[in-house]
Amino acid sequence: GYDPEPTTIGWTSHFLTVVGYSDTDQGFIVMDTYRRPNWFYPYREIDTFWRQFNRTYLVVHRPDQEAAVASIIGADWDTQSMYRNALETARLEASLNRDDPYAWFNIGSSLAGLGQYEEAATAYDRARELGLPWRFLWYQFGPFETYMAVERYDDVITLADAVLAKKPTEEAYYNKGLALQATGKQSLARQYLNIAADFNPRFEPAQQALEALDD
């Protein structure tokens, strides 16, 4: 997450490329496209916004470095262990503040990663009740996947429409198309999947969904 100008831009998503750290100074050195290269962020500030995305990270390494990277990451190298550990952290944070929407959203994301969709849907419901930034589902798609899995298609369409009312995105078009297909509206579903595919020709899920409709 990112909110450098709350009165103008407001909350948004922001990727950081971490290139160094200092335990002495308690912070990371990052390449920041909003500020400047080699920007210093305190650990505490990073974690405040990082947890809004369930502390997701990508590690860039050469193939020959895989064993070394795996040893550094440890138990989280295993996908199931990663989600279980993230779930434990999110549940702890929710227990400390029951009105923390990010903790509940992270519970939902971790449960969805573990395939526990009914429980994930309940956690996402709570996060939405508490209130999330209006741009949140531009970047995170766990609720779409989860509500589809538990056949809450009207919720998928409602969320997709809320996104599309502010900004056209391939993911919103795609997920609305899937929900329409699941409710038997094949022609309308095809329209939305085609929009998603045209909006971003490299968005493979839309292409695959269209091919499945043709089978």
Side-chain angles (χ1 to χ4, degrees), residues 69-112:
V69 172
S71 68
I72 293 168
I73 292 176
D76 281 353
W77 189 259
D78 174 73
T79 300
Q80 295 295 299
S81 296
M82 175 191 69
Y83 281 122
R84 284 194 294 268
N85 291 336
L87 177 60
E88 182 178 348
T89 297
R91 281 176 167 162
L92 172 61
E93 291 176 341
S95 72
L96 296 174
N97 179 4
R98 304 298 292 179
D99 295 327
D100 179 354
Y102 302 115
W104 286 104
F105 196 94
N106 292 341
I107 289 172
S109 297
S110 298
L111 286 168

Side-chain angles (χ1 to χ4, degrees), residues 29-98:
I29 300 137
V30 306
M31 297 299 175
D32 190 326
T33 56
Y34 185 83
R35 289 176 168 157
R36 63 174 175 78
N38 297 311
W39 189 266
F40 179 85
Y41 278 103
Y43 289 155
R44 185 180 297 274
E45 182 178 354
I46 286 283
D47 195 59
T48 295
F49 290 99
W50 189 23
R51 76 181 192 89
Q52 295 174 0
F53 279 74
N54 206 16
R55 298 182 175 89
T56 300
Y57 61 93
L58 301 174
V59 180
V60 182
H61 62 84
R62 298 190 308 269
D64 63 296
Q65 296 174 314
E66 181 171 331
V69 172
S71 68
I72 293 168
I73 292 176
D76 281 353
W77 189 259
D78 174 73
T79 300
Q80 295 295 299
S81 296
M82 175 191 69
Y83 281 122
R84 284 194 294 268
N85 291 336
L87 177 60
E88 182 178 348
T89 297
R91 281 176 167 162
L92 172 61
E93 291 176 341
S95 72
L96 296 174
N97 179 4
R98 304 298 292 179

Side-chain angles (χ1 to χ4, degrees), residues 65-183:
Q65 296 174 314
E66 181 171 331
V69 172
S71 68
I72 293 168
I73 292 176
D76 281 353
W77 189 259
D78 174 73
T79 300
Q80 295 295 299
S81 296
M82 175 191 69
Y83 281 122
R84 284 194 294 268
N85 291 336
L87 177 60
E88 182 178 348
T89 297
R91 281 176 167 162
L92 172 61
E93 291 176 341
S95 72
L96 296 174
N97 179 4
R98 304 298 292 179
D99 295 327
D100 179 354
Y102 302 115
W104 286 104
F105 196 94
N106 292 341
I107 289 172
S109 297
S110 298
L111 286 168
L114 292 167
Q116 299 176 32
Y117 291 111
E118 291 287 352
E119 297 93 332
T122 300
Y124 282 137
D125 289 345
R126 180 60 178 152
R128 292 170 57 202
E129 289 169 4
L130 291 168
L132 295 161
W134 63 271
R135 290 189 178 99
F136 211 67
L137 296 186
W138 292 13
Y139 314 107
Q140 301 213 58
F141 315 116
F144 293 111
E145 174 190 348
T146 296
Y147 293 148
M148 283 294 299
V150 298
E151 300 181 2
R152 287 173 52 179
Y153 307 124
D154 287 344
D155 285 295
V156 175
I157 293 170
T158 296
L159 292 179
D161 284 342
V163 172
L164 294 172
K166 297 285 189 179
K167 179 183 176 67
T169 70
E170 59 267 39
E171 293 89 359
Y173 287 127
Y174 164 73
N175 282 293
K176 184 169 182 177
L178 292 184
L180 289 167
Q181 180 188 2
T183 56

Side-chain angles (χ1 to χ4, degrees), residues 183-196:
T183 56
K185 299 174 182 176
Q186 303 299 316
S187 178
L188 195 55
R190 185 183 298 277
Q191 290 180 35
Y192 275 92
L193 292 172
N194 274 318
I195 294 172

